[in-house]
Amino acid sequence: LLHYTANAYAAWSNSIAWNSADSAPGADPDGDGLSNLAEYALGGDPLKADPSRRPLPGVATNRLTLTFERVADPGLIYSVRA
């Protein structure tokens, strides 16, 4: 689950040449299963499918782990829901 400030997302979104693609935070114009907001948060390209951007689940010391790259935006809050 991602929480974000609209200004940071809007600045990122304005830098993309969307052409006719849907730029809404919940849209997935490249069809890779990651919303535009997730693409932003994970440093992906919303117009190019890239499965390597998905968080990778794992187990360490009998605990679930998620490994992913993230953008340096203090307005983003990453949280996991079960």
Side-chain angles (χ1 to χ4, degrees), residues 11-81:
W12 172 80
S13 181
N14 289 335
S15 73
I16 307 289
W18 294 101
N19 297 319
S20 63
D22 189 349
S23 64
D28 180 16
D30 61 8
D32 65 357
L34 294 173
S35 69
N36 288 332
L37 178 57
E39 297 273 11
Y40 165 64
L42 299 171
D45 181 341
L47 302 177
K48 180 181 175 192
D50 183 2
S52 71
R53 290 290 174 182
R54 293 184 164 282
L56 296 173
V59 177
T61 318
N62 294 322
R63 296 178 190 261
L64 174 66
T65 62
L66 289 174
T67 304
F68 58 93
E69 291 184 35
R70 63 183 190 165
V71 296
D73 177 354
L76 276 172
I77 299 171
Y78 301 77
S79 59
V80 177
R81 284 192 166 169

